């Protein structure tokens, strides 16, 4: 039962230490992109999972950190509304992907936010941005857990304030 990971940098960095894992890092690809174009649009030619393989998809961190606040600001909507809409689109893409790849599928959690990586330009303060970053991730992780089994290791990375432990950040 090989483990395959597919997705953004977290598909690499969160699973690189797993013995015999086959990692398909597709660069800084977003959940938005795979929700729009389909997960299959980023699958490399050598990605051929079998029915017995476990495939863990990893998307969403870039969306949480940068795209959702920007889109919500541009559309004059809430980040919650944009987050839920993104999850709806991603779920449709996931269903299509599952039809094409009969492996056992799971989704990797989106890790807590790093205070150093936040784009505060869409907020009144850095604190407001940080609180919203946590809320966005919580909504995405909750929704992802309804789509497929969620590989949830957030507690290993989370600090007491809900953000990423500083020693876990690069």
């Amino acid at each position: 039962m090989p483990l395959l990971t597919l997705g953004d940098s977290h598909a690499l960095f969160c699973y690189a230490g797993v013995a015999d894992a086959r990692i398909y890092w597709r660069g800084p690809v977003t959940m938005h992109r795979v929700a729009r174009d389909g997960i299959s649009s980023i699958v490399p030619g050598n990605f051929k999972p079998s029915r017995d393989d476990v495939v863990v998809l990893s998307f969403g961190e870039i969306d949480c950190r940068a795209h959702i606040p920007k889109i919500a600001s541009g559309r004059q909507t809430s980040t919650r509304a944009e987050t839920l809409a993104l999850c709806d689109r991603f779920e449709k893409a996931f269903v299509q992907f599952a039809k094409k790849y009969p492996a056992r599928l799971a989704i990797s959690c989106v890790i807590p936010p790093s205070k150093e990586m936040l784009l505060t330009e869409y907020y009144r303060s850095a604190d407001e941005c940080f609180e919203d970053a946590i809320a966005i991730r919580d909504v995405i992780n909750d929704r992802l857990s309804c789509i497929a089994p969620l590989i949830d290791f957030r507690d290993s990375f989370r600090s007491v304030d809900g953000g990423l432990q500083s020693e876990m950040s690069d």
Side-chain angles (χ1 to χ4, degrees):
M1 166 176 54
L3 173 68
L4 292 75
T5 66
L6 173 69
D8 62 18
S9 62
H10 294 256
L12 170 62
F13 297 120
C14 293
Y15 296 91
V18 177
D20 300 323
R22 289 186 286 184
I23 298 171
Y24 298 88
W25 173 37
R26 304 309 295 159
V29 76
T30 62
M31 182 181 282
H32 171 78
R33 177 177 169 203
V34 298
R36 181 193 66 210
D37 300 342
I39 299 169
S40 295
S41 70
I42 59 111
V43 170
N46 64 341
F47 182 81
K48 301 192 184 325
S50 73
R51 193 171 292 281
D52 294 328
D53 292 341
V54 174
V55 175
V56 178
L57 302 174
S58 179
F59 302 103
E61 195 281 329
I62 301 167
D63 303 271
C64 291
R65 177 171 37 88
H67 293 139
I68 290 171
K70 179 180 178 181
I71 291 168
S73 177
R75 292 183 179 166
Q76 301 286 310
T77 61
S78 70
T79 55
R80 180 174 176 78
E82 293 301 331
T83 301
L84 292 171
L86 173 61
C87 290
D88 289 344
R89 293 188 308 272
F90 181 78
E91 184 171 12
K92 290 176 185 172
F94 180 88
V95 168
Q96 291 303 314
F97 182 79
K99 289 177 183 175
K100 187 170 182 177
Y101 296 97
R104 291 185 280 178
L105 302 177
I107 302 174
S108 189
C109 69
V110 179
I111 64 170
S114 167
K115 285 185 177 180
E116 289 77 33
M117 300 281 299
L118 296 177
L119 301 176
T120 59
E121 64 198 76
Y122 304 108
Y123 297 90
R124 292 181 300 249
S125 70
D127 288 340
E128 179 186 52
C129 178
F130 182 63
E131 289 173 19
D132 198 38
I134 292 169
I136 291 167
R137 282 163 174 75
D138 287 347
V139 169
I140 284 188
N141 285 316
D142 287 346
R143 284 292 304 277
L144 292 177
S145 72
C146 295
I147 297 170
L150 184 71
I151 309 301
D152 192 353
F153 44 80
R154 288 176 285 172
D155 287 345
S156 299
F157 289 80
R158 191 181 349 238
S159 65
V160 293
D161 67 0
L164 183 67
Q165 294 175 27
S166 60
E167 62 272 14
M168 296 291 192
S169 177
D170 60 359

